[in-house]
Amino acid sequence: MKPCPYCGNNNMEGVLFCDECGQPLVGRSGQTTSQLVQQQTHSLRGRATWGTARFDLASSIVIHVRDHLEPISLVPKQEMLIGRTDTQSDFTPDLDMTPYGAAEYGVSRQHAIIKRGEDTLTLTDLGSTNGTHLNGQRLIPRQPRVLRDGDEIRLGRLVFHIFFK
């Protein structure tokens, strides 16, 4: 087990991000975060590494899909299904990733869901074929994870960043 230097959660050996708080556990050279902090604390001062998790009622989200210039701006509903259009059944998810090559990148029709909480957003994989990753860590199906401003989300091989506005 590998303890997280930020929150103390015990993580399985080999994981790159803490299961509890999402902090990176390994630096670029393979050193653990605690070693980097001890050796390079001067370079980390004054720099925020994580965006806020707070998402109030007046907030909206902006999604930047990798390799696409035009961002997606929207006000999330209580629950928003993310996936791709199914032309055979006329099914369209709330956030349709079809225009961004969803089928080619392995996005399922009903891939993941974003839920609005009291003051946060959560992301939950719906048992998708190719998985959902949050900041490089694969999500366990049907277990919600809190989203933060600037998080990287990968559905199959389709990568985008979510920003709070």
Side-chain angles (χ1 to χ4, degrees):
M1 298 299 270
K2 181 190 287 187
C4 174
Y6 183 74
C7 73
N9 182 56
N10 283 324
N11 297 280
M12 299 295 288
E13 286 294 328
V15 296
L16 301 177
F17 296 91
C18 176
D19 290 334
E20 186 66 32
C21 69
Q23 281 287 91
L25 297 174
V26 177
R28 280 180 230 155
S29 64
Q31 295 174 312
T32 64
T33 302
S34 59
Q35 289 170 327
L36 285 174
V37 170
Q38 292 169 1
Q39 295 172 2
Q40 301 175 351
T41 50
H42 65 280
S43 67
L44 299 176
R45 285 192 192 114
R47 189 176 71 179
T49 55
W50 295 101
T52 182
R54 182 162 176 73
F55 192 85
D56 60 38
L57 292 174
S59 297
S60 61
I61 60 176
V62 176
I63 295 174
H64 289 274
V65 180
R66 183 180 288 170
D67 299 329
H68 292 273
L69 296 176
E70 202 60 37
I72 304 167
S73 297
L74 50 102
V75 176
K77 299 188 264 183
Q78 196 63 33
E79 291 187 5
M80 279 188 1
L81 179 65
I82 307 171
R84 63 180 170 86
T85 301
D86 181 6
T87 54
Q88 295 177 353
S89 67
D90 292 328
F91 171 77
T92 303
D94 299 310
L95 181 53
D96 185 8
M97 303 309 281
T98 303
Y100 306 97
E104 296 82 20
Y105 285 121
V107 177
S108 297
R109 289 172 183 85
Q110 296 183 28
H111 199 104
I113 195 163
I114 293 177
K115 287 187 182 180
R116 185 179 209 140
E118 191 171 309
D119 61 354
T120 60
L121 292 178
T122 59
L123 176 68
T124 306
D125 179 79
L126 297 175
S128 61
T129 302
N130 295 304
T132 301
H133 292 75
L134 179 60
N135 297 320
Q137 183 178 23
R138 187 171 181 145
L139 300 185
I140 297 169
R142 300 188 188 357
Q143 289 193 6
R145 295 291 303 272
V146 173
L147 287 173
R148 295 179 179 273
D149 185 30
D151 277 348
E152 179 184 270
I153 298 171
R154 182 164 49 99
L155 310 176
R157 292 182 330 230
L158 181 68
V159 179
F160 61 91
H161 286 85
I162 187 166
F163 298 97
F164 300 171
K165 186 173 161 188

